[in-house]
């Protein structure tokens, strides 16, 4: 019996199906001949969410050394916030163009995880809105966020290496992130794929941070070439 070939994509709305039918992960699953695709692109997703999801997939043995993962790092000032709420009908909902984004993920029967982006705080309970207002005004600093995530991403790489997960693409997309924001350990130096959202791939004339369907197709094809080149070298 042959091994199941799985593809994981972790990222923010850039990696999600934001106003398109198929993300680059969906397309890469097909053209890269993967058996299974695990989609963890999420609107207003954060690096915090990426680290948490990867850790959970490794510890529950879903993500193994046979699999391929794409880590699309995003803006460092985004966070996950835990909130006490047993009313899951009270959704923190944002909106990207036509598609509503549920920013509240159920954690357990009492708590929810809210995806937080400064100055675009989601709607929620009064306590949550008060908290986000204070956080935006007094407890947000980009320089500190950059330093924190430089450390956390270094730790993530060592965890991947310890678990022998080497089929990794570190996807850095301008304007979300630049390479010099992170220290890439030597074992993953050749796993970095840098790109930008080209004008012909803008989702709309006033949205240069998300891909249209053509852009997702283009990125999937570029990533497939990158994976093939790496496989040929190894």
């Amino acid at each position: 019996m042959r091994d199941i070939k799985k593809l994981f994509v972790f990222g923010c709305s850039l990696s999600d199906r934001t106003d398109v039918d198929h993300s680059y992960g969906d397309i890469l699953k097909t053209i890269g001949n993967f058996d299974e695709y695990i989609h963890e692109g999420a609107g207003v997703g954060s690096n915090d969410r990426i680290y948490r999801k990867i850790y959970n997939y490794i510890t529950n043995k879903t993500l193994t050394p046979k699999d391929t993962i794409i880590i699309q790092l995003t803006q460092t000032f985004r966070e996950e916030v835990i909130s006490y709420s047993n009313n899951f009908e009270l959704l923190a909902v944002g909106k990207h163009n036509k598609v509503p984004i549920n920013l509240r993920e159920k954690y357990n029967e009492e708590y929810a995880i809210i995806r937080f982006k400064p100055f675009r705080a989601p709607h929620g309970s009064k306590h949550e809105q008060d908290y986000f207002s204070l956080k935006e005004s007094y407890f947000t600093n980009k320089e500190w966020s950059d330093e924190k995530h430089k450390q956390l991403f270094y730790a993530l790489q060592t965890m991947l290496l310890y678990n022998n997960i080497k089929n990794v693409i570190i996807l850095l997309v301008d304007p979300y992130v630049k390479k010099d924001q992170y220290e890439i350990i030597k074992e993953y130096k050749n796993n970095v794929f840098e790109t930008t959202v080209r004008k012909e791939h803008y989702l709309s004339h006033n949205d240069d941070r998300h891909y249209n369907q053509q852009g997702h197709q283009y990125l999937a094809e570029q990533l497939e070439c990158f994976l093939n080149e790496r496989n040929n070298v190894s």
Side-chain angles (χ1 to χ4, degrees), residues 68-81:
T68 297
I69 73 169
I70 298 175
I71 304 170
Q72 179 251 311
L73 294 167
T74 190
Q75 296 156 320
T76 60
F77 49 75
R78 301 178 181 209
E79 295 182 33
E80 289 194 309
V81 175

Side-chain angles (χ1 to χ4, degrees), residues 1-213:
M1 182 177 178
R2 72 177 183 86
D3 293 331
I4 299 297
K5 188 180 175 186
K6 289 181 292 191
L7 170 68
F8 292 75
V9 171
F10 302 89
C12 65
S13 56
L14 180 92
S15 297
D16 203 1
R17 304 174 184 106
T18 305
D19 283 358
V20 295
D21 294 323
H22 306 288
S23 69
Y24 67 83
D26 295 313
I27 299 165
L28 184 58
K29 186 257 185 185
T30 300
I31 64 177
N33 295 314
F34 289 94
D35 299 301
E36 186 177 342
Y37 172 51
I38 293 85
H39 180 81
E40 288 293 354
V44 196
S46 63
N47 291 339
D48 285 348
R49 184 179 187 275
I50 292 169
Y51 307 150
R52 176 174 63 87
K53 292 287 186 176
I54 292 175
Y55 173 82
N56 288 339
Y57 279 122
I58 289 175
T59 55
N60 68 21
K61 310 299 184 186
T62 303
L63 174 55
T64 73
K66 297 173 289 188
D67 302 324
T68 297
I69 73 169
I70 298 175
I71 304 170
Q72 179 251 311
L73 294 167
T74 190
Q75 296 156 320
T76 60
F77 49 75
R78 301 178 181 209
E79 295 182 33
E80 289 194 309
V81 175
I82 195 77
S83 177
Y84 177 77
S85 174
N86 54 15
N87 179 8
F88 291 100
E89 296 303 313
L90 178 64
L91 299 177
V93 175
K95 211 165 195 183
H96 189 276
N97 295 339
K98 299 170 289 186
V99 181
I101 305 170
N102 183 2
L103 305 181
R104 185 188 298 269
E105 296 181 31
K106 185 175 181 179
Y107 182 66
N108 58 29
E109 293 306 313
E110 294 185 317
Y111 285 85
I113 298 173
I114 297 175
R115 296 182 221 140
F116 170 71
K117 180 179 178 180
F119 310 109
R120 288 192 61 185
H123 300 296
S125 69
K126 183 179 185 304
H127 295 307
E128 289 168 350
Q129 292 186 61
D130 289 344
Y131 170 80
F132 290 134
S133 178
L134 286 169
K135 185 166 180 56
E136 288 170 345
S137 298
Y138 300 106
F139 304 105
T140 298
N141 179 272
K142 186 179 183 303
E143 184 178 355
W144 180 82
S145 295
D146 286 351
E147 180 182 346
K148 179 182 76 170
H149 283 285
K150 185 174 286 189
Q151 297 166 1
L152 291 173
F153 186 63
Y154 190 95
L156 178 72
Q157 293 173 83
T158 60
M159 180 179 68
L160 291 170
L161 191 62
Y162 178 78
N163 286 277
N164 199 32
I165 296 171
K166 298 179 180 177
N167 300 324
V168 177
I169 295 180
I170 301 168
L171 177 58
L172 306 180
V173 182
D174 188 9
Y176 288 88
V177 68
K178 291 182 170 53
K179 189 174 182 179
D180 59 6
Q181 284 184 248
Y182 296 95
E183 182 177 350
I184 310 297
I185 65 176
K186 66 179 193 241
E187 290 83 358
Y188 294 118
K189 287 285 187 185
N190 295 324
N191 296 58
V192 178
F193 185 90
E194 294 183 85
T195 188
T196 187
V197 184
R198 296 162 58 169
K199 189 171 183 179
E200 63 267 31
H201 296 152
Y202 289 178
L203 185 59
S204 66
H205 71 279
N206 60 352
D207 185 345
D208 61 356
R209 290 175 177 261
H210 298 94
Y211 287 109
N212 58 23
Q213 192 61 76

